[in-house]
Structures are given as structure tokens and as C-alpha cells.
Amino acid sequence: MTSRDATTPRSAPPPGAVPLIPAAAFVLVWSSGYIAGPAGVAVVEPFTLLTLRFALAALLLAPLAWWLRGPMRMTRDEVVRVGAVGLVLNAVQFGLMYVAFELGLGATLAALLHSLSPVLTVVLAGLLLGERLTRVQVLGFAAGVVGVLVVLGPDVGGAGGPVGLVLGIASLLALSLGTLGQRWIHVSADPIWSATVQCAVAAVPLGVVALAVEGTGGVDDPVLGLAAIGYIAGINSVVGLLLLGVLVRRGGASAGASVFFLMPPVTAVLAWVAFGDTLGPRQVVGLALSVVGVAVATRAGRARRAGATPRLEEPTA
């Protein structure tokens, strides 16, 4: 793959078309992160785990970006903007979620919360930026929230208690605000170089927090901890980013968001395989309600954007 091939799409994808194989691979890789996260915090303290994850991811991404895209061409102002968004998307979002994992927040509920992000982002854009919301998008988000409440049920103990649940919701908010922050960047920075900067920037404050809160003894099982860090950094951060880039180039700028509703059911299957987690009838109904609500809302937004002038974009991680 040459630098030119990696950065210059040949033609615009058909409106609404999402390529099956890249989408399926992206969903599987992304969903597996909700399994690797809880497994990782079982043997490594959350902030230590995240520090090593993003430091390793930055070390893997930097030579890859140089090979695929050449030298980094970002001004100081662009680096600051990209890094600031990375602090929210990486340090804040994952910091909150991994502490929630440590408190007992389940993989499926975590994925269900994050699956609301594309629709919540649209709602926040309407509230904060005055962008137009459709009735279908609002109803879809409402159905997604109701589905989460049905899955949760009256007992929040399985969600890590009240603190774990609040941290999970705060992580969702950070993800959506960080996504809105991508517009604030307003630069044509290369997505792989942007991801490199964002991972490197996130590792610094996470490392400070890890040393202050967890000290130097944050690893209980070095072998399993190394495996978890390697998987989360190499597969979720690097391979996931590359798959998302392929998905965007072939399916359009909103292709990644359009498959987010698939994360919870895939995560539920993976959690059953990995942890033996099962869902009762109430939880299945809530999961289905949330997934359908988010799917309808994101498809409505994608159809509305398809009616506008198509734009080719690549995400910054």
C-alpha cells in the first residue's frame, strides 16, 4: 500500500452503502474491547492498564503512520487541538469506563451505553450547536435510553453499583462530547497521525494518575496483564483504527457510526463465551429495544446526510 493509495479515495461510495466484510470485522474488533477491558482490569489496575495501552499504541502507530503517510504535517495549533480532543476521547472516556469495569460494570451494559453515542452526539449537536433534529432521531434515542433502563432493572449492583453506573454514563457523555470536539479540530490532519498524537497525549495524564493513585504495584499478573495490554493496544487501538478507516473510505463518513448498534448484541455473545454471562428475558427485551432504537435513529440520520452533497472524510481516533 502506498501513501497515495492510503490517503486518496478513488471515488465516493454510494449513499447508504456499508461494506459488509470491513463492517463485520470492525464490529467484532470493537466489541472485543468490552471483553478485554474487564479482563484486563482484573489483573492490572485501570489507570496503569490505560497508560501502558496508549503508550504502546502510540509506539505502534508512529512508524505505521510514517510508512503509510510519510512525515507528520501538522502545525503546533493542529497538534494542540488534536491532542485536546484525544484527552477527552482517550484519557477521560476510557479512564471513566475502566474504573467502572473495576467496580463491576458488565461488558454488555458498557457496550449498550456506548452504542447510544452516535445518537447522543446528534442530540447534543442540536442542543449545543442548534443543528436540526428529526423526530425519528429523538424517538430512537429515547427508545435506546429506555432499553438501557430495562436491561439495568431495579438492581444497580450488577452495574458496579451507583458509582459504576454513573461512571459508565459519564464515559458515554465524554465519548459524545469528544466526537463533537472532532468538529472543533477543523483541520485536515491525517487520521493515523492524529491517532498517534492522541494516544501519546492521553498516556501522560493517565500515567500521572496511575502513579498517584495506584503506585508502582498496579500489575497483579504480569503474563495476563501483558496479554491484555498487547491485545487492547494492538488490536483495539491499531487494528480497530485501520478497519474504521477502510469502512469510512468504502462506506462514507458516517459508516462507522451506522454499525454501532451492533456492538451490544455482539458483545453479549462474546461475554457469554468469555465469562459465561447470560441475559434473562427482561434484559433481552431491553437490549432489543435499545438496539432497534439506535439503529433506526442512526439510519435516519445517515439517510438525511445522504441527501446532501456527499463528502469524503476519514475519522480521527
Side-chain angles (χ1 to χ4, degrees):
M1 180 186 297
T2 66
S3 176
R4 180 178 179 85
D5 292 335
T7 57
T8 307
R10 288 185 173 86
S11 61
V18 177
L20 178 60
I21 294 178
F26 172 68
V27 168
L28 182 60
V29 166
W30 208 264
S31 298
S32 70
Y34 296 102
I35 305 301
V41 299
V43 293
V44 183
E45 295 289 343
F47 292 111
T48 299
L49 176 63
L50 287 172
T51 300
L52 296 174
R53 167 191 178 163
F54 288 119
L56 177 58
L59 291 174
L60 294 172
L61 284 168
L64 180 65
W66 186 282
W67 177 55
L68 293 176
R69 311 299 172 91
M72 184 175 71
R73 299 177 180 88
M74 296 171 61
T75 66
R76 180 180 300 178
D77 179 66
E78 289 173 339
V79 171
V80 170
R81 287 172 177 264
V82 169
V85 173
L87 287 176
V88 177
L89 284 176
N90 289 342
V92 178
Q93 178 215 159
F94 284 104
L96 292 168
M97 185 56 78
Y98 275 47
V99 173
F101 283 150
E102 186 182 40
L103 293 173
L105 182 66
T108 301
L109 184 56
L112 191 58
L113 286 172
H114 275 180
S115 74
L116 298 177
S117 175
V119 191
L120 178 58
T121 301
V122 173
V123 173
L124 290 176
L127 295 175
L128 301 177
L129 304 178
E131 296 187 3
R132 186 172 67 88
L133 288 172
T134 68
R135 183 178 302 177
V136 173
Q137 288 172 317
V138 174
L139 291 176
F141 178 69
V145 172
V146 171
V148 170
L149 294 176
V150 172
V151 171
L152 183 61
D155 183 13
V156 298
V163 175
L165 181 59
V166 169
L167 290 176
I169 295 172
S171 176
L172 163 64
L173 183 60
L175 176 56
S176 293
L177 290 175
T179 303
L180 281 180
Q182 301 283 30
R183 304 182 188 182
W184 171 70
I185 292 178
H186 196 61
V187 295
S188 57
D190 175 80
I192 302 182
W193 273 119
S194 294
T196 305
V197 170
Q198 290 178 336
C199 287
V201 168
V204 177
L206 287 169
V208 172
V209 174
L211 288 174
V213 176
E214 300 165 355
T216 57
V219 181
D220 296 330
D221 188 320
V223 175
L224 292 179
L226 183 61
I229 293 164
Y231 184 89
I232 295 172
I235 302 301
N236 294 138
S237 292
V238 177
V239 176
L241 172 70
L242 296 177
L243 286 171
L244 182 58
V246 172
L247 188 58
V248 166
R249 286 194 296 274
R250 296 186 183 179
S254 60
S258 70
V259 296
F260 251 63
F261 72 94
L262 295 172
M263 306 298 179
V266 173
T267 301
V269 173
L270 294 177
W272 172 69
V273 173
F275 306 134
D277 293 352
T278 58
L279 300 177
R282 170 180 54 79
Q283 294 166 316
V284 171
V285 170
L287 181 66
L289 176 62
S290 186
V291 166
V292 170
V294 173
V296 170
T298 52
R299 287 183 181 277
R302 185 171 171 83
R304 184 161 64 90
R305 284 188 295 270
T309 302
R311 293 185 305 157
L312 287 179
E313 300 176 7
E314 284 187 290
T316 52

